[in-house]
Amino acid sequence: MYKWTSVLRRVLRLLYQFCILVLLLNLVFGLFRQPIISPSIMLYVFGMLCISYIARERMSRGISLLLIHVIMGAATFFLISDIYFKWVIIVVIAEFFFDGLYYLHSNYTLKRISDIPWMSVALGIAVTALGIHFHSPEHTRLGYILPIITIIIFLISLYIEGLENYIAKSKTVSGAPLSQIISVNTLIIIGIIFIIFMTITLGYLLHFEVALEEFLRSILLIIKLIFVVLLAILGFIFSLLTGGRIGGTPMDGFEEIEGEPGLLANIINFILVAGFIIVVVFFTVKFLMFVIKFIISKQDRRYELLEDISYKKKNAVVRERIVKEDRLRGSSPAMKVRRIYKKRVRSYKDIFRPERSDTTGDIKKILDKQETPPAAELTSVYDAVRYGDYVPDGETISKLSRM
């Protein structure tokens, strides 16, 4: 189960990054009054992203990853006919390379997407406003739908990450009810997704997108009104200081605003529609919380009393730095193996903290006793590299990183 959760996290990360990329590209091209990017171009970008993700999982050196992305860029140069799309996609492929290079230098560790999906929401609002301003319903629809998809992907990825951490830590706990935990967490994430779809349905029935469009248009007109007033004041001050006269009158800027009646009504309508949706969602969340608490109360939770975990605090006086900390710098295969071993041992700090006098054999015995993932192969390769002349190949390093 641990393996498929890791694969699923990477697939979700790929989809999340692709959605962000679609919003960003359509925002950039939309600013130049270009239509929405065709599905064929976006499918091509998605294929390049998939190749990049596969390459960074298989490669162990940055030069190999660079070669793959150079080939992708050359293929784009000859396959894409439009000059603007061609160079924009080449820049995007370069971003894929730097992201993959960071992934390699992080020892194949997949970082969390973000604490909150703020970027997708911000880009969605920008694309929606762009579609409203240029009267492009395609951009408005895209800016409305894709952020919702990214939020769902984000929530599922958080669920998978938590499940992955629980599976890793529960290996040291006897009688851990994995099925109960999964069932409760799955119910929670399904409830969250249900609330999202219910919100979308309410928005569709109440014509939330129309209310949002009128609200944003009213806000833009109010901002323009403020600028017109400021420019009129500045023009008046300038005319007093110079004795000259500014061409035109301050009323020239009010013509467009006067043709848009009902600004306050549009704002009030948006507040009422959004407020009603928020109230319905609030009571739905309360109901789901009651259901989840009821289900948990009916479960057998005696397993929580089976494990007596105790530890002995170290005396702070004994702690002293004997030698400078080994930073393990360098990109040689030997240094990569040593960094992987050091990082793996430190990842079990909740279980034990090795002393400076502990050997790799001592550490291996502790890991085996705690039923952690197999440490024999990692220890043998580390010993051969640290104390022998063994030079590991790229496949061995990749295997140790994903162990």
Side-chain angles (χ1 to χ4, degrees):
M1 182 176 290
Y2 191 85
K3 183 177 180 180
W4 72 259
T5 54
S6 177
V7 173
L8 185 56
R9 278 189 65 199
R10 283 158 173 77
V11 172
L12 292 172
R13 176 65 175 266
L14 185 148
L15 295 175
Y16 183 89
Q17 187 173 351
F18 177 70
C19 291
I20 294 290
L21 192 59
V22 171
L23 287 171
L24 183 60
L25 291 179
N26 280 283
L27 177 62
V28 172
F29 282 99
L31 290 173
F32 296 95
R33 293 178 176 263
Q34 297 296 316
I36 197 168
I37 299 177
S38 64
S40 59
I41 294 293
M42 296 316 304
L43 186 62
Y44 180 84
V45 174
F46 181 74
M48 294 293 103
L49 182 61
C50 291
I51 294 174
S52 178
Y53 265 66
I54 294 173
R56 73 185 196 177
E57 290 291 338
R58 299 298 180 183
M59 303 298 175
S60 60
R61 294 181 179 273
I63 188 66
S64 303
L65 190 67
L66 176 62
L67 180 61
I68 295 295
H69 286 79
V70 167
I71 294 174
M72 291 163 56
T76 302
F77 185 82
F78 290 106
L79 292 177
I80 304 298
S81 58
D82 189 287
I83 184 69
Y84 299 107
F85 282 118
K86 178 186 301 184
W87 288 108
V88 168
I89 294 176
I90 288 176
V91 171
V92 169
I93 291 175
E95 190 277 331
F96 292 166
F97 164 71
F98 287 111
D99 186 44
L101 192 64
Y102 175 76
Y103 179 73
L104 292 183
H105 282 283
S106 301
N107 289 326
Y108 301 88
T109 302
L110 187 67
K111 303 295 184 182
R112 176 181 290 185
I113 293 175
S114 59
D115 292 329
I116 54 174
W118 61 269
M119 183 178 292
S120 64
V121 175
L123 288 174
I125 294 174
V127 173
T128 302
L130 186 73
I132 293 172
H133 182 71
F134 290 126
H135 303 287
S136 174
E138 293 82 8
H139 283 88
T140 304
R141 194 178 304 113
L142 188 71
Y144 186 71
I145 294 175
L146 275 188
I148 296 173
I149 296 176
T150 56
I151 291 174
I152 294 175
I153 293 175
F154 174 77
L155 292 173
I156 296 176
S157 65
L158 283 184
Y159 166 62
I160 297 299
E161 180 185 351
L163 181 61
E164 193 175 24
N165 293 334
Y166 179 81
I167 293 173
K169 292 181 179 180
S170 64
K171 293 178 180 179
T172 62
V173 180
S174 60
L178 186 60
S179 59
Q180 288 189 14
I181 296 296
I182 292 177
S183 63
V184 173
N185 289 346
T186 304
L187 181 62
I188 293 173
I189 198 68
I190 290 176
I192 294 174
I193 295 175
F194 169 76
I195 291 173
I196 292 175
F197 279 104
M198 185 193 69
T199 306
I200 296 172
T201 304
L202 284 175
Y204 176 77
L205 294 176
L206 298 175
H207 303 288
F208 177 77
E209 70 280 0
V210 177
L212 177 62
E213 180 178 349
E214 296 297 332
F215 172 77
L216 292 177
R217 181 178 288 113
S218 300
I219 294 297
L220 290 175
L221 290 174
I222 291 174
I223 293 173
K224 185 174 182 179
L225 175 63
I226 294 173
F227 273 102
V228 168
V229 173
L230 289 177
L231 288 176
I233 295 174
L234 291 175
F236 177 72
I237 295 174
F238 181 77
S239 64
L240 290 177
L241 294 176
T242 61
R245 186 176 180 182
I246 305 297
T249 62
M251 297 302 296
D252 294 338
F254 290 90
E255 295 179 356
E256 182 181 352
I257 299 175
E258 290 178 352
E260 292 285 344
L263 297 182
L264 184 60
N266 292 334
I267 295 175
I268 294 176
N269 178 56
F270 172 78
I271 293 174
L272 291 176
V273 172
F276 178 78
I277 294 175
I278 291 173
V279 170
V280 173
V281 170
F282 174 78
F283 284 106
T284 305
V285 170
K286 289 294 185 180
F287 175 74
L288 289 177
M289 290 176 61
F290 171 77
V291 172
I292 292 172
K293 289 179 180 179
F294 177 77
I295 293 175
I296 293 177
S297 65
K298 296 299 181 180
Q299 291 180 348
D300 182 11
R301 308 188 68 84
R302 290 174 294 175
Y303 64 87
E304 294 179 348
L305 303 176
L306 295 179
E307 199 66 24
D308 182 17
I309 301 176
S310 60
Y311 63 94
K312 182 180 180 181
K313 293 184 178 180
K314 296 181 180 179
N315 190 353
V317 180
V318 180
R319 290 187 174 181
E320 59 180 357
R321 180 169 293 182
I322 301 175
V323 294
K324 291 185 177 179
E325 185 179 359
D326 188 0
R327 297 293 182 183
L328 300 179
R329 302 184 183 275
S331 59
S332 64
M335 281 299 175
K336 288 183 179 180
V337 171
R338 292 179 63 185
R339 282 197 296 269
I340 292 171
Y341 180 80
K342 183 177 180 180
K343 186 174 182 179
R344 186 58 52 84
V345 172
R346 284 185 171 181
S347 67
Y348 299 116
K349 61 183 179 181
D350 295 335
I351 301 175
F352 77 102
R353 295 180 182 269
E355 301 288 347
R356 288 188 176 273
S357 59
D358 289 341
T359 64
T360 53
D362 298 330
I363 295 174
K364 176 179 174 298
K365 289 179 182 178
I366 297 175
L367 295 179
D368 291 338
K369 188 180 299 183
Q370 296 292 335
E371 297 182 3
T372 53
E377 184 174 358
L378 179 60
T379 304
S380 62
V381 175
Y382 173 80
D383 288 339
V385 169
R386 183 73 175 86
Y387 306 107
D389 298 327
Y390 176 64
V391 179
D393 54 10
E395 184 178 353
T396 302
I397 295 175
S398 300
K399 184 178 179 181
L400 294 178
S401 300
R402 294 190 291 268
M403 186 176 295

